[in-house]
Amino acid sequence: MATLYIVPTPIGNLEDITLRALRVLREVALIAAEDTRTTRILLQHYSITTPLTSYHEHNKLIKLDRLFETLQTADVALVSDAGTPGISDPGYELILAAIERGIRVEPLPGASAIIPALVGSGLPTDGFVYLGFLPRKDKSLRQFLGTLQQERRTLLAYESPNRLTDTLAVLAEVFGDRQICVARELSKKFETFQRGRLTEVLAHYQAEPPRGEIVLVIAGAPPVEPVEWDEAQVIAALQERLDQGESLSSAARSIAAESGWDRRRVYALANK
Ligand code: SAM
């Protein structure tokens, strides 16, 4: 059975393509490319002459039949302009349709802007949430970020340079002055990591408007410090539960869980 290969391509530096990706691009019968002109430059660089067909945002549904016709007998590789297909790039519908038709899908590991931005940011890497491109309209952006206020994991988003300062200002308003890293022009000549508090990084880019491609890496929500109740709050809660007929041991257990007090301390207060 034929295979659909998902092939990552460089995000800036042409050397960032694996030996396996080059072999697959050479061996498949057809390469489905987001923009055939962009991919042709890459193929020419590596002297690859495999036929190309377009597969982009506007023809991705009508192209499915043609690609599956080829896949009946021969392997196809899917590439996007840069990075990993399907990651904020066309690919998802084709991959899903291939899986549904029982076609073998082989994704190759390779370049994507997310991982170098995350690991170079200095922010926690043990858990992260990839958000894709952020909403463009101010109101939608605020609503979207509002749903993420309590998210503890590191947040990653793609952003365009002309919206960067507006987005940083909204991020500071909604999230408070958290740490952020703006990872710019990864793997290219002017690669930079601008790290700091949101207001500091905002001031930097207000003074020096950014250019190029950008990934935002935003610190997750800080842990919420449990606030211990004072004695009056514990007494009031005890009184309320005992008045409702709850036993002292049950009331002390519940209050200990809510108040940050040790259960024995709650008991001792009840028996004062
Ligand atoms: N499929 C790609 C991937 O795997 O990363 C993403 C494609 S998306 C259409 C393009 C966005 O990715 C850019 O607007 C930018 O936010 C980010 N990006 C791509 N290349 C980058 C680079 N070299 N440096 C920083 N960000 C980059």
Side-chain angles (χ1 to χ4, degrees), residues 8-13 34 80-90 110-117 130 132-133 157-161 163 182-188 191-192 212-216:
T9 53
I11 58 166
N13 187 326
E34 184 181 7
S80 61
D81 284 355
T84 300
I87 301 297
S88 296
D89 265 344
S112 182
I114 305 167
I115 300 299
Y130 171 61
F133 282 99
Y158 288 163
E159 188 51 289
S160 80
R163 279 197 300 273
V182 174
R184 206 175 59 84
E185 294 289 87
L186 292 161
S187 80
K188 302 186 206 175
E191 175 178 283
T192 51
E213 297 193 284
I214 284 171
V215 184
L216 303 178

mmCIF file of all heavy atoms in Angstrom, residues 8-13 34 80-90 110-117 130 132-133 157-161 163 182-188 191-192 212-216, ligand 1:
data_model
loop_
_atom_site.group_PDB
_atom_site.id
_atom_site.type_symbol
_atom_site.label_atom_id
_atom_site.label_comp_id
_atom_site.label_asym_id
_atom_site.label_seq_id
_atom_site.Cartn_x
_atom_site.Cartn_y
_atom_site.Cartn_z
ATOM 1 N N PRO A 8 8.605 17.741 7.010
ATOM 2 C CA PRO A 8 8.954 19.105 7.441
ATOM 3 C C PRO A 8 10.087 19.670 6.579
ATOM 4 O O PRO A 8 10.985 18.931 6.160
ATOM 5 C CB PRO A 8 9.432 18.932 8.882
ATOM 6 C CG PRO A 8 8.988 17.562 9.289
ATOM 7 C CD PRO A 8 8.962 16.750 8.026
ATOM 8 N N THR A 9 10.032 20.967 6.325
ATOM 9 C CA THR A 9 11.082 21.638 5.545
ATOM 10 C C THR A 9 11.660 22.781 6.395
ATOM 11 O O THR A 9 11.061 23.177 7.403
ATOM 12 C CB THR A 9 10.501 22.171 4.219
ATOM 13 O OG1 THR A 9 9.357 22.971 4.523
ATOM 14 C CG2 THR A 9 10.106 21.040 3.286
ATOM 15 N N PRO A 10 12.798 23.339 6.026
ATOM 16 C CA PRO A 10 13.451 24.348 6.869
ATOM 17 C C PRO A 10 12.568 25.584 7.140
ATOM 18 O O PRO A 10 11.761 25.963 6.299
ATOM 19 C CB PRO A 10 14.680 24.747 6.045
ATOM 20 C CG PRO A 10 14.957 23.566 5.182
ATOM 21 C CD PRO A 10 13.625 22.978 4.852
ATOM 22 N N ILE A 11 12.771 26.193 8.314
ATOM 23 C CA ILE A 11 12.032 27.429 8.643
ATOM 24 C C ILE A 11 12.915 28.664 8.411
ATOM 25 O O ILE A 11 12.595 29.760 8.848
ATOM 26 C CB ILE A 11 11.490 27.431 10.092
ATOM 27 C CG1 ILE A 11 12.621 27.250 11.112
ATOM 28 C CG2 ILE A 11 10.423 26.371 10.268
ATOM 29 C CD1 ILE A 11 12.212 27.587 12.543
ATOM 30 N N GLY A 12 14.012 28.504 7.741
ATOM 31 C CA GLY A 12 14.892 29.646 7.472
ATOM 32 C C GLY A 12 16.220 29.169 6.924
ATOM 33 O O GLY A 12 16.629 29.519 5.827
ATOM 34 N N ASN A 13 16.869 28.305 7.686
ATOM 35 C CA ASN A 13 18.186 27.820 7.302
ATOM 36 C C ASN A 13 18.032 26.549 6.469
ATOM 37 O O ASN A 13 17.518 25.536 6.952
ATOM 38 C CB ASN A 13 18.983 27.532 8.580
ATOM 39 C CG ASN A 13 20.416 27.175 8.288
ATOM 40 O OD1 ASN A 13 20.714 26.551 7.267
ATOM 41 N ND2 ASN A 13 21.313 27.572 9.166
ATOM 42 N N GLU A 34 2.408 23.463 -0.521
ATOM 43 C CA GLU A 34 1.574 24.634 -0.253
ATOM 44 C C GLU A 34 1.764 25.683 -1.349
ATOM 45 O O GLU A 34 0.817 26.243 -1.861
ATOM 46 C CB GLU A 34 1.949 25.200 1.126
ATOM 47 C CG GLU A 34 1.084 26.361 1.550
ATOM 48 C CD GLU A 34 1.498 26.920 2.898
ATOM 49 O OE1 GLU A 34 2.541 26.502 3.453
ATOM 50 O OE2 GLU A 34 0.773 27.797 3.405
ATOM 51 N N SER A 80 4.842 21.947 3.378
ATOM 52 C CA SER A 80 4.294 23.311 3.392
ATOM 53 C C SER A 80 5.440 24.269 3.054
ATOM 54 O O SER A 80 6.561 23.831 2.786
ATOM 55 C CB SER A 80 3.649 23.615 4.742
ATOM 56 O OG SER A 80 4.608 23.528 5.769
ATOM 57 N N ASP A 81 5.166 25.566 3.106
ATOM 58 C CA ASP A 81 6.228 26.520 2.734
ATOM 59 C C ASP A 81 7.419 26.408 3.677
ATOM 60 O O ASP A 81 8.563 26.582 3.262
ATOM 61 C CB ASP A 81 5.685 27.956 2.788
ATOM 62 C CG ASP A 81 4.808 28.253 1.591
ATOM 63 O OD1 ASP A 81 4.712 27.386 0.696
ATOM 64 O OD2 ASP A 81 4.218 29.347 1.556
ATOM 65 N N ALA A 82 7.131 26.192 4.963
ATOM 66 C CA ALA A 82 8.212 26.112 5.943
ATOM 67 C C ALA A 82 7.720 25.364 7.166
ATOM 68 O O ALA A 82 6.557 25.503 7.556
ATOM 69 C CB ALA A 82 8.659 27.515 6.350
ATOM 70 N N GLY A 83 8.596 24.579 7.749
ATOM 71 C CA GLY A 83 8.240 23.869 8.983
ATOM 72 C C GLY A 83 7.398 22.636 8.708
ATOM 73 O O GLY A 83 7.449 22.040 7.630
ATOM 74 N N THR A 84 6.604 22.277 9.696
ATOM 75 C CA THR A 84 5.856 21.020 9.643
ATOM 76 C C THR A 84 4.454 21.244 9.084
ATOM 77 O O THR A 84 3.704 22.060 9.628
ATOM 78 C CB THR A 84 5.790 20.409 11.064
ATOM 79 O OG1 THR A 84 7.130 20.172 11.513
ATOM 80 C CG2 THR A 84 5.032 19.098 11.067
ATOM 81 N N PRO A 85 4.075 20.520 8.018
ATOM 82 C CA PRO A 85 2.712 20.640 7.486
ATOM 83 C C PRO A 85 1.697 20.292 8.580
ATOM 84 O O PRO A 85 1.944 19.427 9.415
ATOM 85 C CB PRO A 85 2.677 19.593 6.366
ATOM 86 C CG PRO A 85 4.105 19.392 5.973
ATOM 87 C CD PRO A 85 4.895 19.570 7.237
ATOM 88 N N GLY A 86 0.567 21.004 8.553
ATOM 89 C CA GLY A 86 -0.466 20.726 9.569
ATOM 90 C C GLY A 86 -0.322 21.593 10.801
ATOM 91 O O GLY A 86 -1.257 21.735 11.581
ATOM 92 N N ILE A 87 0.861 22.187 11.018
ATOM 93 C CA ILE A 87 1.057 23.084 12.157
ATOM 94 C C ILE A 87 0.885 24.510 11.633
ATOM 95 O O ILE A 87 1.799 25.071 11.002
ATOM 96 C CB ILE A 87 2.466 22.902 12.802
ATOM 97 C CG1 ILE A 87 2.654 21.459 13.279
ATOM 98 C CG2 ILE A 87 2.669 23.877 13.964
ATOM 99 C CD1 ILE A 87 1.698 21.004 14.369
ATOM 100 N N SER A 88 -0.321 25.053 11.844
ATOM 101 C CA SER A 88 -0.694 26.365 11.294
ATOM 102 C C SER A 88 -0.390 26.436 9.796
ATOM 103 O O SER A 88 -0.009 27.495 9.280
ATOM 104 C CB SER A 88 0.008 27.513 12.042
ATOM 105 O OG SER A 88 -0.414 27.545 13.376
ATOM 106 N N ASP A 89 -0.515 25.339 9.133
ATOM 107 C CA ASP A 89 -0.301 25.200 7.685
ATOM 108 C C ASP A 89 -1.252 24.126 7.182
ATOM 109 O O ASP A 89 -1.685 23.283 7.970
ATOM 110 C CB ASP A 89 1.147 24.721 7.416
ATOM 111 C CG ASP A 89 2.088 25.875 7.136
ATOM 112 O OD1 ASP A 89 1.607 26.979 6.849
ATOM 113 O OD2 ASP A 89 3.306 25.648 7.198
ATOM 114 N N PRO A 90 -1.542 24.099 5.861
ATOM 115 C CA PRO A 90 -2.413 23.042 5.340
ATOM 116 C C PRO A 90 -1.852 21.656 5.631
ATOM 117 O O PRO A 90 -0.629 21.470 5.660
ATOM 118 C CB PRO A 90 -2.431 23.306 3.836
ATOM 119 C CG PRO A 90 -1.935 24.678 3.658
ATOM 120 C CD PRO A 90 -1.074 25.015 4.833
ATOM 121 N N GLY A 110 11.011 16.805 12.260
ATOM 122 C CA GLY A 110 11.813 17.843 11.606
ATOM 123 C C GLY A 110 11.474 19.235 12.076
ATOM 124 O O GLY A 110 10.886 19.416 13.153
ATOM 125 N N ALA A 111 11.800 20.208 11.237
ATOM 126 C CA ALA A 111 11.736 21.612 11.653
ATOM 127 C C ALA A 111 10.308 22.087 11.916
ATOM 128 O O ALA A 111 9.367 21.719 11.222
ATOM 129 C CB ALA A 111 12.363 22.489 10.569
ATOM 130 N N SER A 112 10.175 22.896 12.945
ATOM 131 C CA SER A 112 8.958 23.637 13.249
ATOM 132 C C SER A 112 9.419 24.785 14.129
ATOM 133 O O SER A 112 10.374 24.633 14.894
ATOM 134 C CB SER A 112 7.956 22.755 13.989
ATOM 135 O OG SER A 112 6.775 23.498 14.215
ATOM 136 N N ALA A 113 8.738 25.930 14.060
ATOM 137 C CA ALA A 113 9.204 27.087 14.841
ATOM 138 C C ALA A 113 8.913 26.915 16.336
ATOM 139 O O ALA A 113 9.545 27.561 17.174
ATOM 140 C CB ALA A 113 8.548 28.360 14.312
ATOM 141 N N ILE A 114 7.968 26.030 16.667
ATOM 142 C CA ILE A 114 7.528 25.933 18.067
ATOM 143 C C ILE A 114 8.661 25.487 19.001
ATOM 144 O O ILE A 114 8.928 26.128 20.022
ATOM 145 C CB ILE A 114 6.365 24.905 18.214
ATOM 146 C CG1 ILE A 114 5.224 25.235 17.286
ATOM 147 C CG2 ILE A 114 5.887 24.833 19.653
ATOM 148 C CD1 ILE A 114 4.209 24.106 17.163
ATOM 149 N N ILE A 115 9.306 24.384 18.650
ATOM 150 C CA ILE A 115 10.243 23.765 19.604
ATOM 151 C C ILE A 115 11.501 24.624 19.835
ATOM 152 O O ILE A 115 11.867 24.862 20.987
ATOM 153 C CB ILE A 115 10.591 22.318 19.179
ATOM 154 C CG1 ILE A 115 9.303 21.471 19.142
ATOM 155 C CG2 ILE A 115 11.622 21.681 20.100
ATOM 156 C CD1 ILE A 115 8.558 21.336 20.473
ATOM 157 N N PRO A 116 12.168 25.141 18.781
ATOM 158 C CA PRO A 116 13.331 25.996 19.082
ATOM 159 C C PRO A 116 12.938 27.249 19.865
ATOM 160 O O PRO A 116 13.696 27.718 20.722
ATOM 161 C CB PRO A 116 13.905 26.355 17.705
ATOM 162 C CG PRO A 116 12.941 25.879 16.694
ATOM 163 C CD PRO A 116 12.037 24.877 17.340
ATOM 164 N N ALA A 117 11.735 27.799 19.601
ATOM 165 C CA ALA A 117 11.304 28.978 20.364
ATOM 166 C C ALA A 117 11.149 28.622 21.836
ATOM 167 O O ALA A 117 11.633 29.334 22.726
ATOM 168 C CB ALA A 117 9.973 29.503 19.802
ATOM 169 N N TYR A 130 0.238 24.960 22.680
ATOM 170 C CA TYR A 130 0.436 25.669 21.416
ATOM 171 C C TYR A 130 -0.898 26.260 20.965
ATOM 172 O O TYR A 130 -1.888 25.526 20.839
ATOM 173 C CB TYR A 130 0.980 24.697 20.359
ATOM 174 C CG TYR A 130 1.013 25.299 18.983
ATOM 175 C CD1 TYR A 130 1.775 26.434 18.730
ATOM 176 C CD2 TYR A 130 0.261 24.765 17.945
ATOM 177 C CE1 TYR A 130 1.790 27.008 17.476
ATOM 178 C CE2 TYR A 130 0.269 25.337 16.689
ATOM 179 C CZ TYR A 130 1.037 26.462 16.462
ATOM 180 O OH TYR A 130 1.044 27.049 15.227
ATOM 181 N N GLY A 132 -1.368 28.324 18.140
ATOM 182 C CA GLY A 132 -1.462 28.724 16.733
ATOM 183 C C GLY A 132 -1.379 30.248 16.627
ATOM 184 O O GLY A 132 -0.745 30.911 17.450
ATOM 185 N N PHE A 133 -2.032 30.822 15.613
ATOM 186 C CA PHE A 133 -2.073 32.290 15.490
ATOM 187 C C PHE A 133 -3.153 32.817 16.434
ATOM 188 O O PHE A 133 -4.245 32.242 16.515
ATOM 189 C CB PHE A 133 -2.419 32.696 14.054
ATOM 190 C CG PHE A 133 -1.252 32.597 13.119
ATOM 191 C CD1 PHE A 133 -1.090 31.497 12.294
ATOM 192 C CD2 PHE A 133 -0.290 33.608 13.069
ATOM 193 C CE1 PHE A 133 -0.009 31.398 11.433
ATOM 194 C CE2 PHE A 133 0.799 33.520 12.210
ATOM 195 C CZ PHE A 133 0.936 32.406 11.389
ATOM 196 N N ALA A 157 2.519 31.016 20.816
ATOM 197 C CA ALA A 157 1.637 31.494 19.746
ATOM 198 C C ALA A 157 2.476 32.093 18.633
ATOM 199 O O ALA A 157 3.586 32.586 18.857
ATOM 200 C CB ALA A 157 0.678 32.551 20.293
ATOM 201 N N TYR A 158 1.940 32.024 17.422
ATOM 202 C CA TYR A 158 2.570 32.688 16.291
ATOM 203 C C TYR A 158 1.959 34.078 16.163
ATOM 204 O O TYR A 158 0.764 34.265 16.403
ATOM 205 C CB TYR A 158 2.320 31.893 14.997
ATOM 206 C CG TYR A 158 3.092 30.589 14.916
ATOM 207 C CD1 TYR A 158 2.736 29.601 14.010
ATOM 208 C CD2 TYR A 158 4.189 30.358 15.731
ATOM 209 C CE1 TYR A 158 3.453 28.412 13.917
ATOM 210 C CE2 TYR A 158 4.902 29.172 15.646
ATOM 211 C CZ TYR A 158 4.530 28.208 14.740
ATOM 212 O OH TYR A 158 5.241 27.036 14.662
ATOM 213 N N GLU A 159 2.790 35.059 15.818
ATOM 214 C CA GLU A 159 2.282 36.430 15.693
ATOM 215 C C GLU A 159 3.014 37.142 14.568
ATOM 216 O O GLU A 159 4.157 36.796 14.256
ATOM 217 C CB GLU A 159 2.465 37.161 17.033
ATOM 218 C CG GLU A 159 1.814 38.516 17.121
ATOM 219 C CD GLU A 159 0.336 38.523 16.715
ATOM 220 O OE1 GLU A 159 0.059 38.365 15.508
ATOM 221 O OE2 GLU A 159 -0.525 38.693 17.580
ATOM 222 N N SER A 160 2.329 38.113 13.967
ATOM 223 C CA SER A 160 2.996 38.855 12.888
ATOM 224 C C SER A 160 3.660 40.097 13.487
ATOM 225 O O SER A 160 3.196 40.624 14.500
ATOM 226 C CB SER A 160 1.985 39.253 11.816
ATOM 227 O OG SER A 160 1.288 40.389 12.248
ATOM 228 N N PRO A 161 4.745 40.589 12.869
ATOM 229 C CA PRO A 161 5.475 41.718 13.459
ATOM 230 C C PRO A 161 4.622 42.979 13.573
ATOM 231 O O PRO A 161 4.765 43.728 14.544
ATOM 232 C CB PRO A 161 6.657 41.927 12.505
ATOM 233 C CG PRO A 161 6.373 41.121 11.296
ATOM 234 C CD PRO A 161 5.384 40.068 11.654
ATOM 235 N N ARG A 163 1.539 43.273 14.339
ATOM 236 C CA ARG A 163 0.570 43.240 15.449
ATOM 237 C C ARG A 163 1.268 43.065 16.794
ATOM 238 O O ARG A 163 0.610 43.065 17.839
ATOM 239 C CB ARG A 163 -0.425 42.089 15.240
ATOM 240 C CG ARG A 163 -1.550 42.408 14.291
ATOM 241 C CD ARG A 163 -2.689 41.425 14.457
ATOM 242 N NE ARG A 163 -2.261 40.065 14.190
ATOM 243 C CZ ARG A 163 -2.252 39.521 12.973
ATOM 244 N NH1 ARG A 163 -2.688 40.215 11.953
ATOM 245 N NH2 ARG A 163 -1.844 38.292 12.787
ATOM 246 N N VAL A 182 10.102 36.773 23.109
ATOM 247 C CA VAL A 182 9.746 36.903 21.687
ATOM 248 C C VAL A 182 10.897 36.287 20.903
ATOM 249 O O VAL A 182 12.021 36.804 20.914
ATOM 250 C CB VAL A 182 9.531 38.391 21.301
ATOM 251 C CG1 VAL A 182 9.312 38.520 19.794
ATOM 252 C CG2 VAL A 182 8.340 38.973 22.064
ATOM 253 N N ALA A 183 10.618 35.151 20.272
ATOM 254 C CA ALA A 183 11.647 34.443 19.487
ATOM 255 C C ALA A 183 11.454 34.857 18.031
ATOM 256 O O ALA A 183 10.401 34.633 17.457
ATOM 257 C CB ALA A 183 11.492 32.942 19.645
ATOM 258 N N ARG A 184 12.488 35.485 17.477
ATOM 259 C CA ARG A 184 12.334 36.101 16.148
ATOM 260 C C ARG A 184 13.373 35.552 15.180
ATOM 261 O O ARG A 184 14.524 35.320 15.558
ATOM 262 C CB ARG A 184 12.532 37.616 16.320
ATOM 263 C CG ARG A 184 11.841 38.487 15.294
ATOM 264 C CD ARG A 184 12.025 39.952 15.664
ATOM 265 N NE ARG A 184 13.442 40.292 15.735
ATOM 266 C CZ ARG A 184 14.180 40.618 14.680
ATOM 267 N NH1 ARG A 184 13.661 40.700 13.489
ATOM 268 N NH2 ARG A 184 15.455 40.904 14.824
ATOM 269 N N GLU A 185 12.915 35.313 13.947
ATOM 270 C CA GLU A 185 13.830 34.909 12.869
ATOM 271 C C GLU A 185 14.683 33.684 13.237
ATOM 272 O O GLU A 185 15.900 33.653 13.013
ATOM 273 C CB GLU A 185 14.734 36.085 12.492
ATOM 274 C CG GLU A 185 13.984 37.259 11.858
ATOM 275 C CD GLU A 185 13.499 36.935 10.454
ATOM 276 O OE1 GLU A 185 12.400 36.376 10.327
ATOM 277 O OE2 GLU A 185 14.228 37.225 9.502
ATOM 278 N N LEU A 186 14.015 32.684 13.792
ATOM 279 C CA LEU A 186 14.724 31.470 14.220
ATOM 280 C C LEU A 186 15.485 30.830 13.058
ATOM 281 O O LEU A 186 14.954 30.736 11.946
ATOM 282 C CB LEU A 186 13.707 30.458 14.778
ATOM 283 C CG LEU A 186 13.057 30.887 16.088
ATOM 284 C CD1 LEU A 186 11.766 30.121 16.337
ATOM 285 C CD2 LEU A 186 14.020 30.706 17.246
ATOM 286 N N SER A 187 16.673 30.427 13.343
ATOM 287 C CA SER A 187 17.584 29.742 12.403
ATOM 288 C C SER A 187 18.087 30.652 11.290
ATOM 289 O O SER A 187 18.768 30.203 10.378
ATOM 290 C CB SER A 187 16.936 28.480 11.802
ATOM 291 O OG SER A 187 16.050 28.810 10.755
ATOM 292 N N LYS A 188 17.725 31.947 11.356
ATOM 293 C CA LYS A 188 18.175 32.877 10.306
ATOM 294 C C LYS A 188 19.261 33.811 10.854
ATOM 295 O O LYS A 188 19.549 33.809 12.055
ATOM 296 C CB LYS A 188 16.992 33.704 9.807
ATOM 297 C CG LYS A 188 15.849 32.854 9.261
ATOM 298 C CD LYS A 188 14.792 33.738 8.654
ATOM 299 C CE LYS A 188 13.444 33.066 8.687
ATOM 300 N NZ LYS A 188 12.379 33.916 8.230
ATOM 301 N N GLU A 191 18.474 36.046 14.034
ATOM 302 C CA GLU A 191 17.727 35.369 15.119
ATOM 303 C C GLU A 191 17.922 36.124 16.436
ATOM 304 O O GLU A 191 19.044 36.475 16.799
ATOM 305 C CB GLU A 191 18.258 33.938 15.277
ATOM 306 C CG GLU A 191 17.642 33.192 16.441
ATOM 307 C CD GLU A 191 18.151 31.757 16.546
ATOM 308 O OE1 GLU A 191 17.714 30.905 15.765
ATOM 309 O OE2 GLU A 191 19.004 31.514 17.408
ATOM 310 N N THR A 192 16.798 36.403 17.133
ATOM 311 C CA THR A 192 16.914 37.026 18.467
ATOM 312 C C THR A 192 15.897 36.415 19.421
ATOM 313 O O THR A 192 14.802 36.012 19.020
ATOM 314 C CB THR A 192 16.647 38.548 18.454
ATOM 315 O OG1 THR A 192 15.422 38.782 17.784
ATOM 316 C CG2 THR A 192 17.742 39.349 17.850
ATOM 317 N N GLY A 212 10.273 40.533 10.519
ATOM 318 C CA GLY A 212 10.531 39.093 10.404
ATOM 319 C C GLY A 212 9.465 38.240 11.066
ATOM 320 O O GLY A 212 8.379 38.706 11.382
ATOM 321 N N GLU A 213 9.821 36.962 11.266
ATOM 322 C CA GLU A 213 8.844 35.994 11.774
ATOM 323 C C GLU A 213 9.009 35.818 13.282
ATOM 324 O O GLU A 213 10.127 35.842 13.796
ATOM 325 C CB GLU A 213 9.037 34.663 11.053
ATOM 326 C CG GLU A 213 8.765 34.809 9.577
ATOM 327 C CD GLU A 213 8.640 33.464 8.909
ATOM 328 O OE1 GLU A 213 9.688 32.836 8.698
ATOM 329 O OE2 GLU A 213 7.522 33.056 8.597
ATOM 330 N N ILE A 214 7.853 35.626 13.937
ATOM 331 C CA ILE A 214 7.855 35.721 15.401
ATOM 332 C C ILE A 214 7.067 34.588 16.059
ATOM 333 O O ILE A 214 5.974 34.243 15.618
ATOM 334 C CB ILE A 214 7.226 37.083 15.811
ATOM 335 C CG1 ILE A 214 8.241 38.196 15.562
ATOM 336 C CG2 ILE A 214 6.755 37.088 17.255
ATOM 337 C CD1 ILE A 214 7.668 39.574 15.707
ATOM 338 N N VAL A 215 7.659 34.063 17.141
ATOM 339 C CA VAL A 215 6.913 33.160 18.024
ATOM 340 C C VAL A 215 6.893 33.795 19.412
ATOM 341 O O VAL A 215 7.928 34.252 19.906
ATOM 342 C CB VAL A 215 7.577 31.767 18.139
ATOM 343 C CG1 VAL A 215 6.708 30.837 18.991
ATOM 344 C CG2 VAL A 215 7.820 31.152 16.770
ATOM 345 N N LEU A 216 5.702 33.845 20.021
ATOM 346 C CA LEU A 216 5.580 34.340 21.393
ATOM 347 C C LEU A 216 5.627 33.148 22.338
ATOM 348 O O LEU A 216 4.903 32.170 22.128
ATOM 349 C CB LEU A 216 4.237 35.045 21.598
ATOM 350 C CG LEU A 216 3.915 36.206 20.673
ATOM 351 C CD1 LEU A 216 2.524 36.752 20.997
ATOM 352 C CD2 LEU A 216 4.961 37.292 20.831
HETATM 353 N N1 SAM B 1 4.316 25.068 9.773
HETATM 354 C C1 SAM B 1 5.150 26.058 10.416
HETATM 355 C C2 SAM B 1 5.830 25.421 11.629
HETATM 356 O O1 SAM B 1 5.862 24.197 11.728
HETATM 357 O O2 SAM B 1 6.352 26.154 12.467
HETATM 358 C C3 SAM B 1 4.360 27.302 10.773
HETATM 359 C C4 SAM B 1 3.742 27.963 9.597
HETATM 360 S S1 SAM B 1 2.890 29.445 9.987
HETATM 361 C C5 SAM B 1 2.037 29.761 8.500
HETATM 362 C C6 SAM B 1 4.131 30.678 9.892
HETATM 363 C C7 SAM B 1 4.424 31.309 11.254
HETATM 364 O O3 SAM B 1 5.324 30.478 11.981
HETATM 365 C C8 SAM B 1 5.118 32.645 11.147
HETATM 366 O O4 SAM B 1 4.205 33.700 10.968
HETATM 367 C C9 SAM B 1 5.819 32.741 12.478
HETATM 368 O O5 SAM B 1 4.924 33.135 13.487
HETATM 369 C C10 SAM B 1 6.228 31.275 12.697
HETATM 370 N N2 SAM B 1 7.566 31.042 12.151
HETATM 371 C C11 SAM B 1 7.874 30.348 11.034
HETATM 372 N N3 SAM B 1 9.214 30.379 10.828
HETATM 373 C C12 SAM B 1 9.753 31.098 11.823
HETATM 374 C C13 SAM B 1 11.066 31.502 12.153
HETATM 375 N N4 SAM B 1 12.121 31.171 11.410
HETATM 376 N N5 SAM B 1 11.255 32.249 13.275
HETATM 377 C C14 SAM B 1 10.215 32.600 14.037
HETATM 378 N N6 SAM B 1 8.935 32.257 13.769
HETATM 379 C C15 SAM B 1 8.712 31.527 12.668
#
